Amino acid sequence: SLTDTFPVKIDITNFVPINNLKINPYQPRIEIKEDAIVELANSILENGLLQPITVLDNNDESYTIVFGHRRVAAYEYLNKKKIEANILTSLDNKNLVIAPIVENLQRKDMEPIEIAMALNRVLKMGIIKTQNNLSNSLGISQGRISKLLSILKLSDDVLEEINKSSYKDVTVLAAINKIEKCNQLNLFNSIKILPRNEALLKIKQFLKLKHVSVKRVIHGNNLIKINTKGVSKETKIKILVHMHQIESLLNEQ
């Protein structure tokens, strides 16, 4: 059970009114897609609720959802009035922050940008101060946390395209960060359908190509050579103008 991750005691399992539920303010999911909710609702109709949600009793007849926002959304879609819940009487801020992230990390449909934004928000709030502490709290490597956070540094165009295509390979997305922002979108579009190994190879090849520079000016004690191979006609004309100026300068000697 996900709740076993936390040192808390389930005080009671009972049916609670849907109208009395409050969304966890630290819930990382930006958007719950309607087709996923419909699919979950159909599953609940067929198989029942396989696992109660977990809530925190706010002592004012309301409950904050700790685990199970999607299940609640499915119950709302089905117009149900109550849902079975494991009720906690206490939970500190740290666990309230970590709980939905742990739950969503285990979901295959969770978008990496959503996870990255949730992790970033936790660090900025200061409830958990370092990536290392966050790693220990979530039970995932600091390397993966670093990769997830690096996604937020990608260009806005790439972030938009990631959302559109529901791309989820964090390793590839982190590697794209090594590319200049102006080239990221074209590169991402060319690799997003490739298997991970092929995508990483293409990124590596792109980086290698960008690092190969042509030595355009070679000079020694008495000689200067200019290599204009592959240079545009307009640039060559500009170079010739400068060369005439240099020639005039030399003739003055």
Side-chain angles (χ1 to χ4, degrees), residues 86-98:
N86 296 322
I87 302 172
L88 310 175
T89 56
S90 66
L91 194 66
D92 63 29
N93 281 349
K94 177 183 171 183
N95 282 338
L96 198 59
V97 168
I98 292 299

Side-chain angles (χ1 to χ4, degrees), residues 116-142:
M117 291 181 72
L119 298 178
N120 190 50
R121 186 179 177 194
V122 168
L123 292 171
K124 284 190 172 179
M125 284 188 302
I127 294 174
I128 297 174
K129 299 185 183 300
T130 67
Q131 287 189 25
N132 187 49
N133 291 340
L134 191 55
S135 168
N136 292 333
S137 298
L138 289 172
I140 60 176
S141 72
Q142 187 173 343

Side-chain angles (χ1 to χ4, degrees), residues 44-98:
I44 289 170
L45 279 177
E46 186 175 345
N47 305 305
L49 185 66
L50 299 180
Q51 184 179 14
I53 66 169
T54 299
V55 299
L56 174 64
D57 190 342
N58 296 323
N59 297 316
D60 59 2
E61 296 188 355
S62 72
Y63 303 87
T64 296
I65 304 168
V66 180
F67 296 119
H69 288 79
R70 294 172 83 256
R71 280 165 278 171
V72 171
Y75 262 57
E76 288 175 331
Y77 176 82
L78 293 170
N79 292 317
K80 290 184 176 288
K81 304 301 180 187
K82 291 187 175 183
I83 187 169
E84 189 176 12
N86 296 322
I87 302 172
L88 310 175
T89 56
S90 66
L91 194 66
D92 63 29
N93 281 349
K94 177 183 171 183
N95 282 338
L96 198 59
V97 168
I98 292 299

Side-chain angles (χ1 to χ4, degrees), residues 66-208:
V66 180
F67 296 119
H69 288 79
R70 294 172 83 256
R71 280 165 278 171
V72 171
Y75 262 57
E76 288 175 331
Y77 176 82
L78 293 170
N79 292 317
K80 290 184 176 288
K81 304 301 180 187
K82 291 187 175 183
I83 187 169
E84 189 176 12
N86 296 322
I87 302 172
L88 310 175
T89 56
S90 66
L91 194 66
D92 63 29
N93 281 349
K94 177 183 171 183
N95 282 338
L96 198 59
V97 168
I98 292 299
I101 298 176
V102 170
E103 181 178 38
N104 282 310
L105 278 170
Q106 297 186 21
R107 299 202 58 82
K108 290 182 179 178
D109 66 338
M110 187 64 180
E111 302 295 341
I113 296 175
E114 293 177 320
I115 291 289
M117 291 181 72
L119 298 178
N120 190 50
R121 186 179 177 194
V122 168
L123 292 171
K124 284 190 172 179
M125 284 188 302
I127 294 174
I128 297 174
K129 299 185 183 300
T130 67
Q131 287 189 25
N132 187 49
N133 291 340
L134 191 55
S135 168
N136 292 333
S137 298
L138 289 172
I140 60 176
S141 72
Q142 187 173 343
R144 181 161 179 80
I145 287 175
S146 181
K147 284 180 180 179
L148 281 161
L149 290 172
S150 75
I151 294 172
L152 300 179
K153 298 176 185 177
L154 292 166
S155 71
D156 291 342
D157 288 341
V158 174
L159 290 174
E160 186 178 342
E161 194 59 35
I162 292 168
N163 265 332
K164 281 183 187 175
S165 60
S166 295
Y167 190 83
K168 293 181 174 62
D169 196 315
V170 175
T171 299
V172 172
L173 294 176
I176 293 174
N177 251 321
K178 298 173 185 175
I179 307 296
E180 301 96 324
K181 285 193 175 184
C182 60
N183 294 319
Q184 287 178 356
L185 182 60
N186 286 339
L187 183 63
F188 175 70
N189 283 331
S190 70
I191 66 175
K192 63 186 179 184
I193 61 171
L194 299 177
R196 174 186 290 181
N197 288 344
E198 290 182 29
L200 291 174
L201 180 60
K202 193 156 185 177
I203 293 170
K204 188 176 180 180
Q205 288 171 339
F206 185 89
L207 284 167
K208 199 171 184 181

Side-chain angles (χ1 to χ4, degrees), residues 200-245:
L200 291 174
L201 180 60
K202 193 156 185 177
I203 293 170
K204 188 176 180 180
Q205 288 171 339
F206 185 89
L207 284 167
K208 199 171 184 181
L209 187 66
K210 293 298 286 185
H211 282 111
V212 175
S213 58
V214 177
K215 197 163 182 69
R216 294 292 186 183
V217 180
I218 302 170
H219 57 86
N221 289 335
N222 300 309
L223 184 67
I224 298 175
K225 289 184 177 180
I226 299 175
N227 180 358
T228 59
K229 184 178 181 180
V231 174
S232 69
K233 184 178 179 181
E234 292 78 9
T235 302
K236 284 181 181 179
I237 292 171
K238 290 178 182 178
I239 291 171
L240 283 171
V241 171
H242 289 298
M243 286 180 69
H244 287 310
Q245 291 173 345

